[in-house]
Amino acid sequence: MDRKGLKKTGKKNLNTHYWICVVACLLASLFGIEFVGSTDIVKAFTSDSSQTDITSVSPFVANTYSLIDNFMGEDKEKIKESATKLMDDEKNKDVTYGGLELGRKDGVLAHVVNMVSSGSMILTVLVAIKNVAESSYLLAAILVVLSLLLIILIWSIIFNTFSVAYRRIFMESRVYEKMPFHRFLFIYKDRKLFKVALTVGLKEVFQFLWNLTIVGGIIKRYSYALVPYIVAENKDILPLKAITLSRKMMKGHKWELFVLDISFIGWYLLDFFTLGLLGIFFLNPYKESVVCEYYVNRREKCKSENLENVDLLNDTYLYEKASNETIRNSYKDIIELMDTPEPVIHKRNKFLTFIANVFGVIPTYNQTEKEYTEYTERKIKIVNFKDVINGYTYPTRLYPLGEKVRKTKFEHLHYMRRYSVTSLIMMFFIFCFMGWFWEVIFHFIEKGEFVNRGVMHGPWLPIYGSGCVMILVLLNKLRKNPIIEFISAVVLCGIVEYFTSVFLEYQYGKLWWDYSGYFLNINGRVCAEGLLVFGIGGIIVVYIVAPLLDNLLRKIPLKISITICVVLVLAFTADRIYSSKVPNSGKGVTDYSREIKLKPKSTKTSYNPTCTVTDLDSYIIGKSAKL
């Protein structure tokens, strides 16, 4: 093994696709799959060293048994006390830097982590099912096992398979000049995902069992090291065959990979002194590029030795480019489309053309717009396959398993479309309802009670609808670049949510949401988790949901569409007028206790500079209160 040669080649490949390799390793670190030490800098900011009592709290199993014991005794006070204590112990004290808070005591992700780590999830499930089951001890044991299995299943399918997905990125980047971000979805595109999850999970189980022998765990770590690369090349391989193949490929070569690992020890020391930053921006992707080269080296030698089952590693064009003739035969339909003349588009009014080009909005869907749709469909299809035909990206149609033809309804999800006014209005209400439904369901699952969420009384949350429509309209020109679209959606949604919170708080003196305690929140009005969800949701809306909905809405006759829009707008307006005087509030809606600082208009007025939202109503009624 030529370590210097591997490192030289690995560094060269990394320089070609630097940023996507950095993102791949960073995601693997955040998911807890690889390179977890590099994100310790984040943990250092989010941890609270002043809370020493957390170390005395029993771990998951002990907490679970404690909760079950209290539950079996049917002592409601003890149940409540145990659950409260566990959740309080899991909450970290806020760390605030000029309105920017770091912590994990609240939020969807934090709730999941805290409930699992404290054992309170088991209590929640037990209380929920107790009404329909009498054999409590047996039920408790079953639920503990099922809960653990569910957690393992979700982790294996969603996160653990990423260990294969990000290695595929490195393998393709060795040969091809361009690496589109959608290649991250290689593992998740078809029904092979469960087989991939089973392979990776089985490998982890074997590794865990060998870890119990200490020495065997170290040896088997290198014996199974090539499994993710093998699956990345052939995701249809049987789990045991993948593990066996890795073991045979590494027989007599485990020491090589061990020496290659320790040859990075100098970089590890530098990474330690840079608090993980060197690992994030260089060492992690650099090492992965080198190990990827090692796999390619072993694969070639095993091929020459005709190792058993090595023929399963048959993705030829993952290591070399296909000939022009092969590409043209596989993408004949695209080449024919490129050779056909562009369709003719009739011109329209200059003002309407300006609105359509800048904001993507049209009065109605007519013949002119149909011609434009066909034109954009053709253009997008050519752009998507142009790099493949030129040999710049991996030819997916030449993958050994073949690329299945997508369903017709997904072939027409062309996002560079323009939306009619009626479509936008109806999509606004659809997204408003979807947002309301999401919050109502989430609150029901979390609290066990139905609550009509939002400022208004109807089944809609305008912030969701307006956010989605604004992304479609204001960010219309950015759709060609998904990364810029994502960043812009995060910024836009953050601005909308922040100033909506300010407006509602100072108009009504109440809070309809509060992110205090969420990771990276700003004054409790916006948080990193929420903005990340908005950004991802915005991308899904732009590239999938909105085109799907528009395809359906276009089938509705224009007169019926206008009638529906008028009825919805009238109902919404009436609700808005009523809610401006009598806003929807109460338990589960506005019962937040974050402190609000009120500044009076006159310095002569005596006031309490800080009061809580729960006391705000009575405070406003007082004559001295001035907002």
Side-chain angles (χ1 to χ4, degrees), residues 528-563:
E529 182 177 309
L531 295 181
L532 179 63
V533 172
F534 278 133
I536 296 174
I539 291 296
I540 295 174
V541 165
V542 170
Y543 297 103
I544 299 177
V545 178
L548 268 177
L549 287 175
D550 191 49
N551 287 342
L552 297 175
L553 295 176
R554 285 180 179 182
K555 297 178 181 180
I556 302 176
L558 182 60
K559 291 183 179 180
I560 298 178
S561 297
I562 294 175
T563 302

Side-chain angles (χ1 to χ4, degrees), residues 64 67-68 71 79 83-84 86-87 111 114-116 118-131 139 143 147 444-448:
T64 301
L67 289 168
I68 292 175
F71 182 76
I79 294 174
T84 303
L86 285 169
M87 295 310 293
H111 279 314
N114 294 342
M115 290 176 71
V116 172
S118 68
S120 61
M121 177 184 292
I122 305 299
L123 178 67
T124 304
V125 177
L126 287 171
V127 172
I129 305 182
K130 180 67 164 60
N131 296 327
L139 173 65
L143 286 176
S147 298
F444 182 80
I445 294 174
E446 187 182 39
K447 304 294 184 181

Side-chain angles (χ1 to χ4, degrees), residues 139-155:
L139 173 65
I142 293 174
L143 286 176
V144 169
V145 174
L146 290 178
S147 298
L148 291 175
L149 290 177
L150 180 61
I151 294 169
I152 293 172
L153 180 63
I154 294 173
W155 173 260

Side-chain angles (χ1 to χ4, degrees), residues 339-436:
D339 294 336
T340 57
E342 293 185 356
V344 179
I345 302 177
H346 293 89
K347 295 183 179 180
R348 58 161 37 130
N349 180 277
K350 290 184 178 181
F351 175 75
L352 295 178
T353 302
F354 172 79
I355 297 297
N357 292 337
V358 176
F359 300 107
V361 180
I362 56 174
T364 58
Y365 184 72
N366 50 26
Q367 181 61 33
T368 302
E369 200 55 36
K370 185 177 180 180
E371 294 171 356
Y372 174 81
T373 301
E374 292 175 355
Y375 169 77
T376 54
E377 286 179 1
R378 176 184 179 278
K379 192 173 181 180
I380 292 172
K381 205 168 187 179
I382 291 174
V383 170
N384 288 341
F385 289 101
K386 186 177 181 180
D387 289 336
V388 176
I389 294 173
N390 291 331
Y392 296 147
T393 59
Y394 178 82
T396 55
R397 291 185 181 181
L398 297 180
Y399 183 66
L401 298 180
E403 186 184 62
K404 294 182 178 180
V405 179
R406 293 177 295 176
K407 294 181 180 180
T408 305
K409 63 179 180 180
F410 289 105
E411 289 181 344
H412 298 284
L413 296 184
H414 302 293
Y415 49 86
M416 293 303 297
R417 65 173 66 198
R418 299 187 287 210
Y419 296 94
S420 66
V421 175
T422 55
S423 285
L424 287 175
I425 292 175
M426 285 192 282
M427 279 195 284
F428 168 81
F429 286 103
I430 291 172
F431 292 132
C432 284
F433 175 77
M434 291 171 64
W436 174 85

